[in-house]
Amino acid sequence: MSIISSNIKFLRKKKGLTQQQFADEIGIKRSLVGAYEEDRADPKYELLKKIALYFEISVDDFINETINEKWAPKPKGNPANLRVLSISVDKEDNENIEMVPVKASAGYLNGYADPEYVAALPKFYLPMFKQGTYRAFEIKGDSMLPLPSGSVIIGEYVENWADVKAGDTYVVVSKTEGVVYKRAGNKYKENRSLKLISDNPVYEPYEISNEDILEIWKAKAYLSTQLPEPAPAPTMENLTSMMASMQKSIAKLQQGNN
C-alpha cells in the first residue's frame, strides 16, 4: 500500500466517515475512494490538494509522510520543510532538465507541482548537471542586462529557502510576479519579504512577500543564441588612464618599502 492510499484510509477512518460519506464530502464517486485506498489508482494533483485541505494538513505531508496515531505535523512556515516538486526522468533514470518557455510561464504557476504538466514540458539532459534537480527558464526583457532577452537560465532547485544568499541570482516563481530572474537583495527569513534586484539600474528593486513565493531556483548557467561582441580596441584615452593607474600603484609600493 502506498503512502497516499494508507493516508487517505487512516484520515477517513479517524474522522469516522464511511467511504460513501467521504466521497460525498469531497465530491467524487465512492468507487474512486475505494480505488485510492486499495492503491489501484492515484488521485490527480488538484484532488490531492482538495483532500489535504479537507483534512487540514499540507500537501507535502500528505504525500511524503506516513500519517498515523504517532505522526505530528511539521511546524508551519519552516523553510526546511519539503515542498512538492514534480520531475521527469529519461530512459536511463537520469533527471531531465525541463524547459519553461516564456509562453508557458503563466501555465507554470498552475502546473508546477502537477506531474502530468511537468512531463509535457520540453526537456533535455546535460551530463555536467548530475547532482541536484534543475529546470530551465526562458527570460524576457532587459532587466538583467547584459543577459539578453530570450536567454535561458538553468536553475538548481532550492529546497531550503534559508540557503538564499544576498547578491546571488535566482529564478523566483511567485503568485504575484510569476516567473522572474533577479538578484536577491537579502537572505530569506521567515515573516520577512524577499528583495529582488535587477542588474539593469533602470529598474527599481522591489519586494515580494514570502507567502507569495512558490519555488526558488538558484542560477547555475545560461544559454543564449546571442554571442558576445569582441572587446573594443583600446583607445589612447584608455591607455593613458591605465598608465596613470599603474604609476600610482608603483608609487604606493615604493612608499611602502621606504
Side-chain angles (χ1 to χ4, degrees), residues 22-212:
F22 176 61
D24 293 340
E25 290 284 334
I26 299 299
I28 60 176
K29 295 180 180 180
R30 189 210 61 78
S31 58
L32 279 178
V33 177
Y36 297 151
E37 292 187 355
E38 294 167 17
D39 202 17
R40 291 184 283 108
D42 291 321
K44 290 188 176 182
Y45 182 68
E46 288 302 318
L47 182 57
L48 280 174
K49 290 197 297 183
K50 189 174 184 178
I51 295 173
L53 181 63
Y54 177 76
F55 288 122
E56 297 182 335
I57 61 175
S58 70
V59 176
D60 295 340
D61 286 346
F62 186 56
I63 67 176
N64 291 309
E65 299 286 332
T66 299
I67 300 175
N68 51 36
E69 294 293 352
K70 297 180 180 180
W71 175 82
K74 296 171 184 174
K76 291 183 179 180
N78 184 350
N81 285 356
L82 293 176
R83 295 175 173 86
V84 176
L85 178 66
S86 297
I87 62 171
S88 63
V89 296
D90 62 17
K91 294 180 180 179
E92 297 180 357
D93 208 30
N94 296 310
E95 282 192 26
N96 292 312
I97 300 176
E98 293 85 9
M99 167 77 177
V100 183
V102 169
K103 292 182 179 180
S105 296
Y108 187 76
L109 297 184
N110 295 320
Y112 71 97
D114 185 346
E116 293 183 6
Y117 174 86
V118 172
L121 289 171
K123 56 187 69 67
F124 58 95
Y125 172 70
L126 292 176
M128 67 183 72
F129 295 124
K130 290 184 178 180
Q131 302 296 324
T133 296
Y134 299 87
R135 194 150 291 169
F137 299 86
E138 184 183 14
I139 62 172
K140 183 179 181 181
D142 60 355
S143 68
M144 291 300 283
L145 290 175
L147 261 65
S149 180
S151 297
V152 175
I153 305 298
I154 299 177
E156 183 178 12
Y157 182 66
V158 180
E159 182 175 294
N160 187 345
W161 295 350
D163 292 335
V164 171
K165 297 180 180 177
D168 288 349
T169 55
Y170 299 87
V171 173
V172 180
V173 182
S174 68
K175 302 171 188 175
T176 53
E177 297 295 325
V179 179
V180 297
Y181 172 57
K182 299 293 179 184
R183 198 171 295 277
N186 58 282
K187 285 180 63 66
Y188 176 92
K189 291 185 179 181
E190 291 186 61
N191 303 320
R192 278 190 57 187
S193 57
L194 183 64
K195 186 176 183 180
L196 300 180
I197 303 173
S198 299
D199 284 350
N200 187 343
V202 172
Y203 293 86
E204 292 289 332
Y206 61 92
E207 296 186 349
I208 184 170
S209 66
N210 294 341
E211 293 77 10
D212 283 342

